[in-house]
Amino acid sequence: MFHIKQLELVHWDYWRRFNLPLDAQIITIVGPNGSGKTTLLDALRTLFGLRCSGKRDFRRYVRRANRSFAWIRAVVANRPGSTGKRPFFPCLKDEVTLACRIRRAGGDWTRDYAIADGDLPIEALEANTDKAVEWVGYRDYQSRLAWGGLTPAIAKVLALEQGDTDKLCEYSPKALLELVFDVFGDKEVLDNYALAREEQINAERELDALGLDLDRLRAQAEAKRLEADRFLEWKQLDDEARALAAEIVPRLEATELARDIGHARSDIARDRDDLQKCSLELIDLQKRMADVEAEKAAAEAERKAARSADLEAEKDHLVAHDAVRDAEKLLAERSALRTRLAREAGDAAVDLEAAYAKADARLLHLQRQEREAVAAFEEKAAQFRATRDTHGSPGDPEVSRFRARLKEAGIAHRALSEIVEVTDAGWQGAVEAVLRPYRHVLLLAREQDRHAAWALGERERFRHFIVPELEPAPPANRGALAEVIRFADAVPRWLADLLNRIQRVEDADAARSLPRETEWITRDGYHRERRGARHLGKPAEFHFGELARKARLKQCEADMQRIDARLQQLRPQLDAAKEDADALRARLHGIEAAQLLAARADAFDAAEAALPAAKARLTAAIAARADAKGRVDAVDQRLRGIDIELDRRKREAAGLGRRLKELTDAAAPRRTEQARRILRLRRLRRGMPADWRDPQQNALLADRYGDARGARAELERLRQRLTDGDWVTDDTVLTLAGRLKADVTERETQYQERERHCTAARHITTEARAAYIAKLRATVRQYGKNLRALGELANVDVDCPVPHLENDDRALSAAGLEVRFDFDRKGAVGLNDGEASGGQQVMKSLILLIALLMDEARPGGFVFIDEPFAHLDIANIDRVGSFLRATRAQYLITTPVTHNANVFAPAQLTLVTRKKKPGDDWAPPIGLIQRAL
């Protein structure tokens, strides 16, 4: 690279105009702070198209001169290098003038550059009479300087800030490697690698875009394919719907009408026979009902007479009973007085008091038993009256409480026991045994109340069934248990099925003739079902029907008689105990028994005489009452049987009447419907093709669609599906789908071609990267050679191994240049490991810096170094000076005036700057000290 021989400044900062010779290897610029050392270097930087130091630029300096123009001119060497080429070819002289002209234009400063062959003064450049000098812009000028050796990388090195010369050693290995390659590397190799990599990235980006476009096109093709499928599906459904409406439904309707007409003919004939049979049965049943009603009237008259006789016998019994009781009471009083009289003069007072206490305790015990018996009698009497005045089963506290809850909730219901009536007293026990688990089943009047009732039952933990589904009871099977039961209202279907399933037999031997799987029950409650046979047990208390109520009445009467008999036994004992207690109490107050006997002797004698006759009358009254009650019971039993028979025949007559009415009501509509079917079949078959009547084909259609209703439902379903569905009805979608499929195939071919191109681009990038790596290795080796040569000059061992480089972008981006220095054989140190001293840091940075400027093809060059001796002692200053003298570069070094004089030892030329004095327009010119050779 070239070196500087002369510098001339005009209107730069506070310098008016001066010309400095710079034809020396080491030039020292010395002066106090603010005297213009950095200003002089910034002038050179501006001339060479470099960035000024800090935040300064050329405008700052030219504004201070307060002139409209400024000049910077330098004369540089243009000698041929080792290759024989001159740096500023086609300039052929050994010297070349570099000029920067700065002028004010429109309020801003502009600069122009020129490169002239030879040493031309500023006036000649300004005149340019022969047009030999060409003024160019900043970019073109930088390109010319780069051709002359001032590359952008060297320009970056030359633009180091003041005091930054020791900071090259602070570069990271990766940054140092990049800087070295920028300086030494072959620009074409780097450009080829960058171009290939860019081409690869573009190819991959284009391939990705083409892939996205292909995916989009595939999605469009798939969407159109789905639309085509929807069109084909719609076409299939539409064709099927048309076939159903035009052919299949009429054919199935005609087939069904023909079949229904045949079935209706047989049904009409059968109904006619059933109508005649029912009429005859109803007439016969009405005759039998008249006979039963006459028998009932006679039995009711007989019962009335028997009841009258029973009432008379009851009155006689009460009168005889009262007479016997009164006589026995008087005789008992006499006996008590006699006993009292016998004791009047006997026992001591203490024994008399103990006897009285014992007699009083017994009296209290008998009185309590009497009260309990009276309360029980009244309770049974109340039950008797309640059972006599009301119908239904005995109440259960839990069921009554829950029914009250249902009533409060407004849920109408009935108990199962309220609608069941047993018509045959002989089977009452068997019915009660079968229905025992269902005594408290509740039947809802409205089915819609079921959820509310179930919720209430869940809350109350009600253990019995709540049934909402009810229906009229079907006719009872002959011989079934349901035949002896009448239902007053609708019942659960499962209950009717249960009672119709159980057959009635007299005993287990009578069941031998029944089929094996038949379920049966005896009068005694022995039940056979699918699990086996067992005795259900006769309930002690009946719940279902009028017979159960009468049985409860009879039981209440028996209980009342038993309690009355108990009272009859207690009362004499109570009277005796009272007499004993009274007698003992009287003895305690004085003896009066003899007086009482004398006063009532006549009454006692009359009672004794009348007692046998009264007992005879009581016995006869009891016998007469028993006979009368037996006659009443016999008549009642016969009436119950007559009622059951009459009720059964009434139900049979009602059933026959309903059946007769149903047959009569259904006959005319059926004939009308039959005529309508025949007319409709004729209309359907009118104009119908002959093959539509083919039975085999119609059977296949029936297998597929079921019947005409199924075909119409399928037609409606298809029409609804066609109406509701999002269908494609345009057949052009088939063409579009085919065209998009072809486009996808073509685009896939293009994608494969671009993929091959991308593969080729990757291969080219790999080769360019390999070339770049080879050049990088050569550059590092050259730089390491320069470092080792400079290290020998500075008496420092420098090691710069070639970094590990792989043919991979990621490995290249992570590669770095590790440089290690060994000062005074104290051990190697790295770039910025903190172990080197300040002087060693400067030495490391100078070695790294100067090695960048060493080029065997273009030796020489110049370097700007701001204050390299700032932190060095005298020994290190001499060492750095010796190192600078040993190199071949041109150095422009700034140093403050406070340094040791040894800093001037290596300098061949010293420039002395001085500050501008206050009041002067211009700064003093730069002093010059040149060492004599």
Side-chain angles (χ1 to χ4, degrees):
M1 192 177 72
F2 61 88
H3 69 272
I4 308 169
K5 303 181 70 174
Q6 182 182 344
L7 174 66
E8 184 178 5
L9 299 178
V10 177
H11 297 159
W12 183 258
D13 198 64
Y14 291 113
W15 290 316
R16 187 169 186 176
R17 183 172 183 173
F18 62 81
N19 195 340
L20 295 174
L22 299 177
D23 192 8
Q25 180 188 4
I26 301 175
I27 302 170
T28 303
I29 305 172
V30 62
N33 292 335
S35 62
K37 298 186 296 297
T38 304
T39 302
L40 181 61
L41 292 181
D42 283 344
L44 290 171
R45 289 188 179 102
T46 303
L47 177 63
F48 295 133
L50 305 178
R51 180 175 53 83
C52 294
S53 63
K55 298 181 180 180
R56 305 175 184 181
D57 64 354
F58 73 94
R59 297 176 182 83
R60 174 180 182 273
Y61 296 110
V62 297
R63 280 196 300 266
R64 287 186 173 184
N66 199 18
R67 295 293 187 272
S68 61
F69 66 94
W71 282 86
I72 306 173
R73 186 184 72 90
V75 178
V76 299
N78 189 32
R79 293 187 179 89
S82 60
T83 60
K85 292 184 179 181
R86 295 181 183 272
F88 294 99
F89 183 82
C91 297
L92 300 177
K93 294 182 180 181
D94 290 341
E95 293 180 346
V96 172
T97 300
L98 304 180
C100 175
R101 182 180 61 189
I102 304 172
R103 294 181 295 182
R104 187 191 298 273
D108 195 8
W109 295 91
T110 62
R111 51 183 173 172
D112 300 317
Y113 292 92
I115 301 176
D117 199 1
D119 184 1
L120 295 180
I122 293 176
E123 288 76 9
L125 293 172
E126 179 70 22
N128 196 17
T129 55
D130 55 357
K131 303 295 183 180
V133 178
E134 181 183 1
W135 292 94
V136 297
Y138 178 72
R139 300 299 179 190
D140 294 338
Y141 179 67
Q142 280 187 325
S143 299
R144 290 290 304 275
L145 290 180
W147 178 262
L150 188 59
T151 62
I154 295 178
K156 183 168 65 173
V157 175
L158 294 176
L160 288 174
E161 298 289 339
Q162 180 180 0
D164 284 352
T165 53
D166 60 344
K167 292 193 178 174
L168 276 179
C169 64
E170 297 180 5
Y171 274 37
S172 66
K174 182 176 183 301
L176 182 61
L177 180 62
E178 292 177 353
L179 180 62
V180 169
F181 190 78
D182 286 345
V183 175
F184 289 100
D186 189 349
K187 190 70 168 66
E188 184 179 358
V189 173
L190 180 59
D191 292 343
N192 289 340
Y193 170 55
L195 183 62
R197 193 164 182 271
E198 183 67 23
E199 179 66 19
Q200 176 189 346
I201 293 173
N202 292 335
E204 290 176 348
R205 187 182 297 114
E206 184 178 355
L207 182 65
D208 292 340
L210 190 61
L212 291 175
D213 186 60
L214 179 59
D215 292 339
R216 179 186 57 80
L217 191 60
R218 283 173 177 168
Q220 292 178 354
E222 180 65 18
K224 286 299 178 185
R225 185 190 68 78
L226 294 176
E227 290 182 4
D229 292 344
R230 293 293 286 174
F231 170 76
L232 295 176
E233 185 179 1
W234 171 82
K235 181 65 175 173
Q236 180 182 359
L237 295 177
D238 185 65
D239 292 343
E240 185 177 358
R242 292 177 185 274
L244 281 168
E247 176 183 354
I248 298 173
V249 172
R251 290 177 66 173
L252 292 176
E253 286 181 349
T255 302
E256 291 179 6
L257 282 174
R259 184 180 64 249
D260 293 343
I261 289 171
H263 292 165
R265 286 197 183 103
S266 60
D267 291 342
I268 290 173
R270 186 173 57 254
D271 289 346
R272 188 184 304 113
D273 295 340
D274 290 345
L275 182 63
Q276 184 177 2
K277 181 178 179 182
C278 284
S279 299
L280 295 176
E281 289 181 357
L282 183 59
I283 294 172
D284 183 60
L285 186 59
Q286 289 174 348
K287 292 180 179 179
R288 291 200 299 270
M289 283 177 58
D291 297 339
V292 173
E293 286 178 351
E295 184 180 356
K296 180 181 179 181
E300 287 178 347
E302 185 178 352
R303 182 179 62 178
K304 185 177 180 181
R307 280 189 176 275
S308 298
D310 182 39
L311 292 175
E312 291 296 331
E314 184 178 1
K315 292 177 181 179
D316 295 342
H317 172 264
L318 292 175
V319 171
H321 179 272
D322 292 341
V324 172
R325 182 193 63 193
D326 294 340
E328 288 178 346
K329 185 177 181 181
L330 289 174
L331 293 177
E333 290 178 1
R334 186 183 65 176
S335 298
L337 288 174
R338 287 177 178 175
T339 304
R340 177 182 173 186
L341 180 61
R343 294 194 301 265
E344 278 184 351
D347 301 326
V350 176
D351 295 336
L352 183 63
E353 181 67 26
Y356 173 73
K358 183 177 180 181
D360 188 59
R362 183 171 181 273
L363 175 63
L364 292 176
H365 176 67
L366 292 175
Q367 287 176 344
R368 184 172 60 255
Q369 289 184 350
E370 181 189 28
R371 287 195 299 271
E372 290 175 355
V374 171
F377 185 85
E378 291 177 353
E379 181 182 357
K380 289 297 179 179
Q383 291 181 4
F384 179 80
R385 289 191 298 271
T387 304
R388 183 186 60 193
D389 298 337
T390 60
H391 296 275
S393 61
D396 181 80
E398 178 187 1
V399 177
S400 301
R401 184 170 57 256
F402 183 69
R403 294 188 68 178
R405 295 282 191 278
L406 291 177
K407 187 175 181 181
E408 291 174 0
I411 300 175
H413 64 282
R414 297 182 68 179
L416 177 63
S417 59
E418 296 175 0
I419 65 168
V420 175
E421 182 66 41
V422 181
T423 60
D424 191 338
W427 289 95
Q428 179 77 32
V431 172
E432 292 282 349
V434 172
L435 296 183
R436 179 187 296 171
Y438 314 115
R439 286 178 176 178
H440 304 298
V441 170
L442 299 182
L443 310 176
L444 299 181
R446 297 184 300 273
E447 187 176 352
Q448 56 268 28
D449 292 336
R450 62 186 183 280
H451 294 294
W454 291 339
L456 188 60
E458 181 184 17
R459 186 166 62 251
E460 297 291 332
R461 298 180 179 272
F462 189 61
R463 297 180 296 105
H464 305 287
F465 289 113
I466 302 172
V467 184
E469 298 86 359
L470 307 175
E471 61 181 36
N477 296 332
R478 185 176 298 276
L481 192 61
E483 196 174 18
V484 298
I485 295 175
R486 181 177 75 252
F487 296 107
D489 203 346
V491 295
R493 180 57 182 260
W494 55 264
L495 180 62
D497 293 343
L498 171 67
L499 297 174
N500 264 325
R501 189 170 62 245
I502 301 175
Q503 290 290 318
R504 292 177 291 124
V505 296
E506 291 299 327
D507 49 28
D509 290 335
R512 294 177 182 273
S513 61
L514 296 177
R516 186 180 185 87
E517 66 277 3
T518 303
E519 186 175 345
W520 47 264
I521 191 169
T522 66
R523 290 181 183 270
D524 189 46
Y526 195 72
H527 179 217
R528 188 270 176 191
E529 56 169 328
R530 59 183 179 83
R531 294 176 294 181
R534 63 172 179 168
H535 196 281
L536 298 180
K538 271 193 175 183
E541 188 178 48
F542 292 166
H543 280 68
F544 295 96
E546 181 65 21
L547 293 179
R549 187 175 73 88
K550 292 180 178 180
R552 291 196 299 274
L553 288 173
K554 188 175 181 180
Q555 183 63 38
C556 287
E557 289 180 355
D559 292 342
M560 290 169 64
Q561 291 177 1
R562 179 178 53 78
I563 295 172
D564 185 62
R566 174 61 178 162
L567 285 173
Q568 295 299 328
Q569 294 176 359
L570 282 175
R571 282 168 180 163
Q573 297 176 11
L574 182 62
D575 293 340
K578 186 176 181 182
E579 288 295 334
D580 291 343
D582 292 342
L584 291 173
R585 185 171 57 252
R587 289 183 62 187
L588 294 175
H589 298 286
I591 301 173
E592 300 175 355
Q595 298 174 3
L596 293 174
L597 283 173
R600 301 179 63 186
D602 295 338
F604 292 151
D605 293 340
E608 184 178 7
L611 181 60
K615 287 183 176 180
R617 288 195 300 272
L618 178 60
T619 302
I622 291 173
R625 186 181 179 188
D627 292 340
K629 196 167 189 63
R631 286 194 299 273
V632 170
D633 290 342
V635 174
D636 286 341
Q637 183 70 20
R638 187 152 54 91
L639 273 174
R640 282 195 292 270
I642 293 172
D643 288 336
I644 292 172
E645 178 67 18
L646 183 61
D647 183 70
R648 183 177 65 81
R649 294 190 179 185
K650 285 181 179 179
R651 285 191 286 107
E652 290 179 1
L656 287 174
R658 288 194 299 270
R659 177 61 177 163
L660 187 62
K661 186 176 184 304
E662 290 174 359
L663 293 174
T664 304
D665 295 341
R670 283 190 176 181
R671 288 193 293 271
T672 304
E673 181 67 18
Q674 180 72 345
R676 187 184 63 78
R677 291 194 194 97
I678 294 172
L679 292 175
R680 186 180 177 192
L681 179 61
R682 290 173 181 173
R683 285 195 301 270
L684 282 174
R685 287 184 173 178
R686 188 179 298 118
M688 183 178 290
D691 59 338
W692 285 18
R693 302 185 184 182
D694 186 359
Q696 295 181 353
Q697 295 295 328
N698 292 336
L700 293 176
L701 292 177
D703 291 339
R704 180 176 179 183
Y705 297 103
D707 53 10
R709 179 182 298 177
R712 283 192 294 271
E714 180 66 15
L715 175 59
E716 183 62 26
R717 187 187 67 81
L718 292 176
R719 286 176 175 173
Q720 188 68 27
R721 187 176 176 186
L722 290 171
T723 302
D724 297 342
D726 186 14
W727 303 104
V728 178
T729 58
D730 189 0
D731 57 357
T732 57
V733 71
L734 299 176
T735 305
L736 291 175
R739 186 178 301 169
L740 283 174
K741 184 178 181 181
D743 291 345
V744 168
T745 303
E746 181 181 358
R747 194 63 55 84
E748 288 176 345
T749 303
Q750 295 176 0
Y751 182 80
Q752 293 172 359
E753 292 177 357
R754 296 306 303 170
E755 194 171 21
R756 288 192 293 270
H757 173 71
C758 187
T759 303
R762 293 192 188 99
H763 180 67
I764 293 172
T765 302
T766 302
E767 293 180 349
R769 190 188 301 111
Y772 168 68
I773 291 173
K775 182 60 180 177
L776 187 60
R777 287 196 179 101
T779 300
V780 172
R781 283 194 294 270
Q782 178 62 36
Y783 186 63
K785 181 180 178 182
N786 294 345
L787 290 175
R788 286 188 292 272
L790 292 173
E792 290 177 0
L793 295 176
N795 196 22
V796 178
D797 290 338
V798 182
D799 183 23
C800 180
V802 178
H804 179 68
L805 302 174
E806 295 182 358
N807 196 351
D808 179 73
D809 289 335
R810 186 175 298 175
L812 285 178
S813 63
L817 186 61
E818 296 286 350
V819 182
R820 301 187 66 79
F821 301 87
D822 187 0
F823 294 92
D824 304 326
R825 302 297 187 271
K826 293 181 179 180
V829 295
L831 288 175
N832 190 27
D833 53 8
E835 297 182 4
S837 63
Q840 291 173 348
Q841 288 287 92
V842 174
M843 288 297 297
K844 288 195 292 184
S845 295
L846 288 175
I847 292 172
L848 294 173
L849 176 66
I850 297 170
L852 292 173
L853 303 175
M854 294 175 63
D855 189 354
E856 295 179 355
R858 293 177 292 188
F862 55 89
V863 184
F864 302 150
I865 307 177
D866 264 343
E867 301 181 1
F869 308 109
H871 306 290
L872 303 182
D873 57 12
I874 296 174
N876 281 322
I877 289 174
D878 293 340
R879 189 174 184 179
V880 172
S882 299
F883 170 73
L884 294 177
R885 283 194 300 270
T887 60
R888 293 185 296 173
Q890 183 184 20
Y891 299 98
L892 280 80
I893 302 172
T894 64
T895 181
V897 296
T898 58
H899 271 310
N900 187 280
N902 290 5
V903 302
F904 304 107
Q908 300 171 355
L909 182 64
T910 301
L911 304 178
V912 181
T913 59
R914 292 174 290 174
K915 291 184 178 181
K916 184 177 78 69
K917 295 180 180 180
D920 293 347
D921 292 336
W922 304 101
I926 297 176
L928 181 66
I929 302 175
Q930 189 168 6
R931 184 183 299 275
L933 298 177

